[in-house]
């Protein structure tokens, strides 16, 4: 299988090269040249374990990795999950089930993709006899998940910039208390935007980038989308016959990454009825799917911070199919959007999506209601998805983080503070963080001194 850029100006690459490249050089995102049709395989997929299913799914895409090696990479990626089902489905009522995606090492759904991506990077380093240095900037969850994907891997080091004092104490501990020698949590003075701007400048220095084989952590890697397709498939296969035809997946999403994976799977002939996009108050996707207007606004920090985004970068993948895989159209839409901050879709086929948005003030009340009605605690991101479930319709709500990651919000809502053994264990560990000025020269000097 080969991979094309949504913007059509990058030669097709194999799976491993597309994963290693991340963002295509023409600014586009990689997608498979053709989408496989899984309808004939669904019967044989039933009953497979999570890693078994993940392997069968990914082998269709990762055709340049020998099957036995891919099987090993997948097994290793989900061994770090604490629940034997990996992505357990819990029933709350006849109609409502929760797909728990927070049993990975950092207790949020990003582990599904970043555990796999870390092991793919490790394999590539070994094959090529090269080392890799990964650099990213984070406002919280992604940095922690990326760090846990590369923790202790030979031939790899990871540098994560974050705004000092502006990530939660738990998030900082997940990055700075790993005890691993190849992990560098870099606290910078300033905001997330300062950290990100400095990082972009470091990546802009091509010579430095090549010398240290510097790679980016970002939300648009092809492997992330493909890894996320698997939990939808695993859940769908566990629904009853009637539910399979009727169920809607309700998905907390910010960058459009989470819900895009489900939609891609639907395009591969898995007959999922539809999706509800659940945003927080930063609701560019809600506005797009209800009015057709894609318009940037300022980000207002919320209680569901991992969905605080301005632009939904993975939307470009949906756009590519929307305009009939016409990459010249993708380029012109993205150019207009970049110049004017808006684009209006007229008479468009918005697919089987519905959308909801959730104001910040509503979140504690929703957490309280779900707890009262079902004895179940949801985190603030998942709470957004519980805002308005369609009555009478079977719903599978994706729970993207453990409530234990947001003890203050849960405490406000229901008067108890959930804990988790892995977070408790962090409290007794030494913090290993490095203070760096948010300037490209200082960051480069740090990387040069610690790179592998
Ligand atoms: C990242 C994140 C999301 C949003 O995921 P997208 O890829 O932006 O759709 C939702 N919930 C949690 C807890 C997250 O960490």
């Amino acid at each position: 299988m080969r991979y094309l850029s949504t913007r059509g100006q990058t030669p097709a690459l194999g799976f491993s090269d597309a994963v290693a490249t991340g963002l295509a050089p023409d600014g586009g995102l990689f997608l498979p040249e053709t989408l496989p049709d899984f309808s004939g395989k669904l019967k044989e997929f039933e009953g497979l374990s999570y890693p078994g299913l993940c392997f069968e799914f990914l082998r269709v895409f990762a055709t340049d990795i020998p099957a036995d090696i891919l099987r090993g990479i997948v097994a290793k990626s989900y061994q770090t999950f604490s629940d034997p089902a990996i992505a357990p489905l819990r029933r709350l009522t006849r109609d409502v089930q929760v797909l728990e995606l927070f049993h990975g090492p950092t207790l949020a759904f990003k582990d599904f993709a970043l555990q796999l991506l870390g092991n793919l990077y490790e394999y590539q380093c070994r094959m090529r006899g090269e080392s890799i240095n990964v650099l990213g900037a984070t406002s919280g969850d992604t940095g922690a998940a990326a760090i846990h994907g590369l923790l202790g891997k030979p031939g790899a080091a990871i540098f994560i910039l974050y705004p000092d004092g502006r990530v939660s104490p738990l998030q900082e501990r997940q990055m700075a208390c790993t005890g691993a020698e190849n992990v560098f949590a870099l606290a910078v003075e300033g905001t997330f935007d300062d950290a990100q701007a400095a990082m972009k400048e470091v990546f802009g220095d091509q010579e430095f980038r090549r010398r240290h084989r510097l790679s980016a952590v970002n939300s648009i890697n092809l492997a992330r989308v493909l890894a996320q397709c698997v939990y939808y498939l695993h859940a769908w296969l566990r629904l009853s016959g009637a539910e399979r035809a009727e169920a809607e997946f309700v998905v907390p999403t910010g960058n459009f990454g989470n819900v895009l994976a489900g939609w891609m799977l639907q395009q591969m002939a898995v007959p999922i009825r539809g999706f509800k996009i659940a945003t927080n108050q930063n609701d560019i996707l809600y506005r797009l799917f209800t009015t057709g207007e894609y318009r940037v606004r300022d980000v207002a920090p919320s209680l569901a911070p991992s969905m605080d985004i301005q632009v939904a970068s993975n939307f470009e993948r949906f756009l590519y199919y929307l305009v009939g895989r016409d990459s010249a159209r993708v380029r012109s839409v993205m150019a207009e959007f970049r110049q004017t901050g808006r684009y209006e879709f007229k008479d468009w086929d918005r697919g089987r999506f519905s959308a909801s948005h959730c104001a910040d003030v509503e979140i504690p009340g929703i957490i309280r209601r779900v707890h009262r009605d079902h004895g179940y605690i949801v985190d603030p991101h998942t709470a957004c998805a519980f805002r308005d479930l369609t009555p009478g319709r079977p719903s599978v709500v994706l729970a993207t983080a453990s409530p234990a990651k947001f003890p203050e919000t849960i405490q406000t809502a229901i008067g108890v503070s959930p804990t988790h053994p892995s977070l408790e264990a962090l409290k007794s560990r030494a913090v290993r963080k490095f203070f760096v000025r948010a300037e490209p020269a200082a960051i480069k000097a740090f990387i040069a001194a610690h790179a592998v």
Side-chain angles (χ1 to χ4, degrees), residues 335-356:
E336 179 175 334
F337 177 66
R338 202 169 43 246
Q339 276 155 25
T340 64
R342 70 179 289 275
Y343 189 87
E344 186 156 0
F345 293 94
K346 295 198 184 78
D347 303 322
W348 63 312
D349 175 8
R350 64 190 73 179
R352 301 229 184 100
F353 287 112
S354 60
S356 68

Side-chain angles (χ1 to χ4, degrees), residues 81-218:
F81 282 56
S82 61
D83 192 295
I86 312 295
L89 201 52
R90 304 223 186 275
R91 187 177 288 282
L92 300 190
T93 67
R94 194 177 55 116
D95 288 335
V96 180
Q97 298 182 73
V98 178
L99 178 60
E100 292 184 351
L101 301 176
F102 52 73
H103 296 289
T106 72
L107 312 182
F109 93 100
K110 293 191 173 67
D111 289 326
F112 277 85
L114 289 168
Q115 287 290 303
L116 182 80
L117 191 61
N119 289 317
L120 287 170
Y121 278 155
E122 182 184 25
Y123 165 70
Q124 288 174 358
C125 288
R126 206 166 52 232
M127 285 300 290
R128 294 174 185 171
E130 286 177 351
S131 57
I132 185 175
N133 292 290
V134 172
L135 173 63
T138 189
S139 51
D141 274 348
T142 307
I147 282 172
H148 285 259
L150 285 172
L151 203 68
K153 297 231 184 294
I158 178 162
F159 302 84
I160 296 292
L161 302 162
Y162 67 97
D164 193 30
R166 294 185 197 224
V167 302
S168 83
L170 279 177
Q171 285 174 328
E172 181 174 55
R173 285 183 176 277
Q174 285 190 317
M175 296 191 279
C177 300
T178 65
E181 291 295 320
N182 70 334
V183 170
F184 300 93
L186 305 182
V188 302
E189 216 172 282
T191 63
F192 170 67
D193 291 331
D194 298 329
Q196 187 160 32
M199 177 193 76
K200 284 190 176 153
E201 277 195 60
V202 174
F203 275 113
D205 182 341
Q206 299 296 334
E207 201 277 322
F208 183 82
R209 193 173 169 167
R210 261 194 307 279
R211 179 152 31 105
H212 295 292
R213 290 166 309 283
L214 212 56
S215 177
V217 184
N218 52 42

Side-chain angles (χ1 to χ4, degrees), residues 107-110 141-142 219 224 228 251-260 285 304-307 309 314 379 381-382 399-402 405-406:
L107 312 182
F109 93 100
K110 293 191 173 67
D141 274 348
T142 307
S219 57
R224 290 183 69 169
Q228 291 172 191
V251 188
T253 194
N255 253 320
F256 205 65
N258 197 2
V259 75
L260 174 84
L285 288 172
S306 299
M307 306 198 301
I309 54 96
N314 265 299
D379 91 285
H381 303 81
T382 308
T400 52
S402 162
K405 290 193 88 168
F406 303 93

Side-chain angles (χ1 to χ4, degrees), residues 267-334:
Q267 305 313 300
M268 298 174 202
V270 179
I272 295 173
R273 179 189 172 109
F275 304 91
K276 181 174 277 176
I277 295 165
T279 74
N280 65 16
Q281 63 193 6
N282 296 297
D283 60 355
I284 183 168
L285 288 172
Y286 168 77
R287 289 181 280 114
L288 170 64
F289 279 90
T290 48
T291 68
E293 189 190 41
Y294 191 50
R295 181 199 284 270
V296 179
R297 283 194 197 147
D298 288 340
V299 171
S302 80
L303 294 172
S306 299
M307 306 198 301
D308 289 347
I309 54 96
Q310 203 175 12
V311 175
S313 44
N314 265 299
F315 175 68
E316 184 166 337
R317 287 191 161 108
F318 177 73
L319 172 66
Y320 175 77
Y321 294 104
L322 180 67
V323 298
R325 311 184 56 150
D326 176 349
S327 39
R329 276 290 308 283
V330 174
R331 291 199 298 276
S332 78
V333 171
M334 293 311 290

